[in-house]
Amino acid sequence: MKRHPLYGLMAEFNTTDDLLKAAERTYAEGYRRMDAFTPFPVEGLAEAIGFHKTRVPLICLIGGLTGCSGGFFLQWWPNVIGYPLNIGGKPFNSWPAFIPITFELTILCAGIFTVLGMLALNGLPTPYHPVFNAPRFELATRNKFFLCIMARDSKFDAQKTREFLQSLNPREVSDVEA
Amino acid sequence: MNAAETPLTGIENLGKPALVVGVVSLVLCVLLGLRNSTQFFHSYLLAFVFFVGLSVGSCEVLMIHYLIGGTWGFPLRRPLEAGVRTFYLMAVLLLPILFRLPTIYSWADPAKVHADPVLQYKHFYLNVPFFVVRNVIYFTAWLLLAYFILKWSRLQDETGEPELTHRLQALSAPGLLIFGLTITFACVDWVMSLEPTFFSTIYGMIFMVTEALAGMSLATVAIVLLARRNKFSGLVTPKVLGDYGNLLLTFTMLWAYLSFSQYLIIWAGNLRDEIPWYVVRVEGSWNYVAQVLIVFHFAVPFVLLLMRFVKRRAASLGWLAVGLVVVSFVDIYWLTVPAFEPARPQFHLTDLFAIVGIGGLWLWQFASQLKGRSELPLQDPRLKEILQQV
């Protein structure tokens, strides 16, 4: 894939309302590859930039099921097949006794899968990311709100997109080098 | 005073039919009971325990909301208060049980106590006068709490005094403690002592949670129905419905956790005092009831309540809550009735009439408390803050 010299265009906004309106306009305009950066979670922003679903819940479910069946098998096999022992006259497959460990392993595996799946999907840790080339971007952790349209977007045009972003009432629009 | 205070609509035609159905059913139940008074009191106790559980559950959730706040609780305030109001009715409905204890409980029957050394040993606690005293204590505590909760809430609606919110908060903290103690003792008295050899320390917690689940489910059903006709200032959003779903999920999981803990310990110990209680409940036809509880009181609601599209939609959440009220009843049935019918569950017409009868009266009290109230407690300073942000 050809590497674009430009990562995208970054617009800086003063308020969450400006950012939300801009994000909605951008999405309505047909842009899809964009991201927003804010110092705190903004209600409705994820929906505004068209971010609906992640696969983390599915990964969590797979982890939970793995832990559940694995944990049960880990106790069932030795007690019933491998080394069956008569303990207190109880049946070999004494499933009530297996539940606590099955439960614990369900939670453990679901938790581990969720964290690792989250890291795998969001690409962390990322030592280099182009958005930090944008001027004043460090204010995204303090009191400014940023919207970035990526150059990868099929509708992206350095000139037209810049004009479009300018029309959204930003404080400033700047190039983000790749 | 405040033009924005719109009264609840859609419940005008609920109270009177419920009262009529309730009274007719209770009369039929009593008529059947003239032929078989033992069966009448068994059915009556079952229905009483279930519906007093709904009152208790409503009060628990209401006090939890007074303590911790949150947007979710304000639309629920009226249905929960209506549930609290039914304590007055339940206090009256307790009286027939108190007058006929020997019909229901073996420890209250001198002949049976004389024949059983265990009952003689437990006689210092399980005896008629002390049982009555304890029940008077429970209901005194509950009625006092109900009285002040309802009085101060109404007073705040009328005067707009913000201080009353703090007073209700200050009442709710000790109130929940008192509830924890009284419910534990009450369910030991009403249900556990049906089988006086059985004992379990987690029993009261299981009751508390199943009652909170039933109360919360009923309030959820009420809010889903009321939100069709009432606006609730736009507070009943998918997010708030999701909160109700999450609370129901919490209670469902807690119920499963506590019930299984009790089962695991008693099953592993396999001791003569405790195990018969479970042997009766998981053998023969009672086994099917136990399986229904595992599947429909835990597995199915657990999976459904994990899904956002189920708990964020009013219709699906409402139906799920209806199902949870029903399985809460099955739970109470499974805890209570095997003491009377160890062989298998049997259908009795008196069961049906007692449930419809007490349920009708309960619903009548519930509806008459809702009638004419504003849909939201608009004078609560915490709600004012939330409405300013919207």
Side-chain angles (χ1 to χ4, degrees):
Chain A
M1 204 175 89
K2 188 180 142 250
R3 208 179 157 85
H4 208 284
L6 203 60
Y7 174 77
L9 283 169
M10 181 77 83
E12 179 186 334
F13 297 92
N14 283 324
T15 66
T16 52
D17 281 350
D18 287 347
L19 174 67
L20 265 177
K21 275 183 206 132
E24 277 158 13
R25 283 276 311 279
T26 312
Y27 192 83
E29 195 73 11
Y31 292 101
R32 289 297 176 266
R33 295 194 176 275
M34 59 179 135
D35 211 343
F37 307 90
T38 59
F40 49 82
V42 174
E43 183 92 3
L45 184 58
E47 288 76 18
I49 62 170
F51 184 86
H52 290 300
K53 273 188 180 170
T54 75
R55 274 176 302 188
V56 173
L58 179 67
I59 294 173
C60 174
L61 177 70
I62 293 170
L65 292 177
T66 310
C68 180
S69 47
F72 194 86
F73 181 77
L74 200 69
Q75 299 165 89
W76 177 84
W77 189 84
N79 278 299
V80 178
I81 310 285
Y83 308 93
L85 288 174
N86 182 342
I87 301 166
K90 292 206 158 54
F92 294 134
N93 182 19
S94 286
W95 64 266
F98 303 163
I99 296 289
I101 289 175
T102 307
F103 172 74
E104 300 292 347
L105 277 171
T106 307
I107 304 300
L108 179 70
C109 288
I112 290 175
F113 270 57
T114 306
V115 172
L116 294 182
M118 178 268 290
L119 290 177
L121 290 181
N122 67 12
L124 283 174
T126 303
Y128 172 80
H129 197 286
V131 290
F132 289 97
N133 296 333
R136 293 162 55 86
F137 185 70
E138 65 278 6
L139 291 177
T141 61
R142 298 182 66 182
N143 58 357
K144 296 293 176 195
F145 307 88
F146 291 84
L147 181 71
C148 180
I149 301 181
M150 295 166 197
R152 283 188 291 150
D153 194 290
S154 53
K155 212 172 171 292
F156 187 86
D157 177 280
Q159 190 57 35
K160 280 183 191 158
T161 305
R162 173 177 279 275
E163 279 164 16
F164 169 69
L165 278 175
Q166 289 288 6
S167 73
L168 297 175
N169 189 28
R171 187 189 167 277
E172 186 179 20
V173 176
S174 44
D175 290 338
V176 183
E177 289 168 20
Chain B
M1 183 179 55
N2 191 339
E5 279 188 15
T6 40
L8 284 164
T9 56
I11 37 108
E12 297 82 4
N13 300 324
L14 186 63
K16 272 187 192 146
L19 176 65
V20 172
V21 170
V23 169
V24 170
S25 289
L26 266 190
V27 169
L28 286 172
C29 194
V30 170
L31 288 178
L32 286 172
L34 291 178
R35 278 194 301 174
N36 185 348
S37 73
T38 311
Q39 182 51 49
F40 168 79
F41 277 101
H42 289 172
S43 303
Y44 188 87
L45 179 75
L46 172 71
F48 174 81
V49 169
F50 175 66
F51 282 101
V52 84
L54 284 178
S55 320
V56 165
S58 307
C59 201
E60 284 174 351
V61 179
L62 184 60
M63 289 194 292
I64 289 173
H65 179 251
Y66 273 126
L67 270 185
I68 63 176
T71 313
W72 61 273
F74 294 105
L76 280 185
R77 180 77 65 83
R78 299 302 179 217
L80 291 175
E81 281 176 352
V84 171
R85 157 81 172 266
T86 55
F87 270 125
Y88 298 110
L89 170 76
M90 297 320 285
V92 177
L93 291 178
L94 174 72
L95 296 177
I97 295 175
L98 292 185
F99 282 109
R100 291 295 296 275
L101 288 175
T103 317
I104 309 173
Y105 299 100
S106 59
W107 51 260
D109 185 341
K112 286 177 187 156
V113 175
H114 190 71
D116 189 341
V118 174
L119 291 185
Q120 286 164 26
Y121 181 72
K122 295 193 174 187
H123 187 70
F124 79 96
Y125 187 81
L126 291 177
N127 59 65
V128 174
F130 193 24
F131 184 95
V132 174
V133 168
R134 287 195 304 264
N135 277 269
V136 169
I137 293 173
Y138 311 145
F139 268 95
T140 311
W142 295 345
L143 291 181
L144 279 174
L145 276 169
Y147 175 76
F148 284 112
I149 283 176
L150 296 179
K151 183 185 164 190
W152 287 341
S153 168
R154 198 176 270 274
L155 202 62
Q156 187 172 50
D157 284 347
E158 284 161 10
T159 63
E161 173 64 50
E163 173 58 26
L164 286 166
T165 293
H166 296 288
R167 228 191 275 176
L168 281 161
Q169 246 176 329
L171 178 73
S172 294
L176 277 170
L177 278 178
I178 292 169
F179 255 66
L181 288 171
T182 47
I183 294 163
T184 303
F185 282 102
C187 70
V188 168
D189 278 349
W190 292 335
V191 186
M192 196 203 263
S193 79
L194 289 168
E195 288 146 294
T197 55
F198 177 70
F199 54 88
S200 161
T201 46
I202 215 168
Y203 194 83
M205 290 287 288
I206 296 175
F207 252 84
M208 233 177 283
V209 171
T210 211
E211 287 172 343
L213 177 72
M216 183 66 207
S217 304
L218 192 79
T220 307
V221 175
I223 211 72
V224 166
L225 291 176
L226 286 171
R228 288 185 184 173
R229 297 275 201 90
N230 304 276
K231 291 200 173 61
F232 290 106
S233 305
L235 282 189
V236 187
T237 54
K239 187 171 176 294
V240 163
L241 288 173
D243 290 343
Y244 300 154
N246 288 337
L247 273 171
L248 293 175
L249 179 63
T250 311
F251 289 135
T252 305
M253 289 200 294
L254 195 54
W255 174 84
Y257 175 77
L258 294 170
S259 301
F260 180 75
S261 303
Q262 176 179 285
Y263 178 72
L264 179 65
I265 291 166
I266 291 176
W267 171 86
N270 203 15
L271 297 175
R272 211 179 51 181
D273 293 334
E274 307 165 330
I275 202 77
W277 194 86
Y278 271 116
V279 170
V280 168
R281 280 166 179 76
V282 299
E283 297 223 324
S285 309
W286 284 112
N287 189 307
Y288 298 116
V289 183
Q291 287 178 17
V292 163
L293 283 178
I294 294 173
V295 174
F296 292 103
H297 202 321
F298 173 63
V300 171
F302 172 73
V303 172
L304 289 179
L305 284 169
L306 282 178
M307 301 180 194
R308 276 188 159 204
F309 71 91
V310 174
K311 58 188 169 191
R312 288 186 166 227
R313 280 180 45 228
S316 50
L317 184 71
W319 281 112
L320 190 60
V322 170
L324 286 171
V325 175
V326 175
V327 286
S328 304
F329 172 75
V330 177
D331 188 31
I332 300 288
Y333 187 81
W334 184 76
L335 289 167
T336 311
V337 179
F340 310 135
E341 298 156 0
R344 63 180 181 283
Q346 285 163 310
F347 176 76
H348 299 285
L349 218 48
T350 45
D351 283 348
L352 184 70
F353 285 135
I355 289 156
V356 175
I358 294 185
L361 295 180
W362 199 94
L363 203 60
W364 161 61
Q365 283 290 298
F366 186 84
S368 54
Q369 171 71 21
L370 284 180
K371 206 170 183 175
R373 301 303 303 277
S374 63
E375 53 186 34
L376 287 168
L378 287 170
Q379 301 301 325
D380 191 318
R382 295 183 293 177
L383 180 60
K384 283 182 182 168
E385 242 171 68
I386 290 168
L387 288 177
Q388 273 165 12
Q389 288 166 10
V390 171

